[in-house]
Amino acid sequence: TGAEATQELSVKSALLSAVLCCNTRTVEGKGFDPTVGKIKNTKTGAEATQELSVKSALLSAVLCCNTTLSKVKDPETGEEKWEPKGNSSEA
């Protein structure tokens, strides 16, 4: 993970299977925004969202998480942003 100036933790890469050597995926995104980001195969650079290992990992995360994301308007700036409700490290 990487801590950004916004106090948000971000996943940068994921090892999805210890059985398959070097099965690493690069994760790109911005903050808590679920509409931005990609998961790529580190070895090939191809998008990996349809890979079984990625789908399994994401499903496991969803099933083990009770955090929700809501789009809220910042009262000071009027800007819309995504805000987690619950454990922000699960968002």
Side-chain angles (χ1 to χ4, degrees):
T1 63
E4 301 172 3
T6 57
Q7 305 269 336
E8 299 169 356
L9 293 176
S10 301
V11 173
K12 299 295 183 188
S13 67
L15 178 64
L16 300 178
S17 175
V19 176
L20 302 172
C21 177
C22 307
N23 196 12
T24 306
R25 304 297 174 258
T26 302
V27 181
E28 300 174 357
K30 183 175 184 209
F32 297 118
D33 190 340
T35 64
V36 177
K38 294 179 182 179
I39 301 174
K40 293 182 180 179
N41 183 310
T42 305
K43 198 178 276 189
T44 66
E47 190 162 321
T49 54
Q50 297 303 312
E51 292 180 11
L52 183 58
S53 60
V54 172
K55 287 183 174 184
S56 296
L58 293 175
L59 178 60
S60 296
V62 168
L63 293 174
C64 294
C65 173
N66 63 0
T67 298
T68 60
L69 289 175
S70 301
K71 201 170 200 179
V72 297
K73 193 175 209 176
D74 187 313
E76 293 179 17
T77 64
E79 185 178 310
E80 287 189 327
K81 63 179 184 174
W82 290 93
E83 184 175 274
K85 295 200 185 336
N87 186 341
S88 62
S89 68
E90 295 179 353

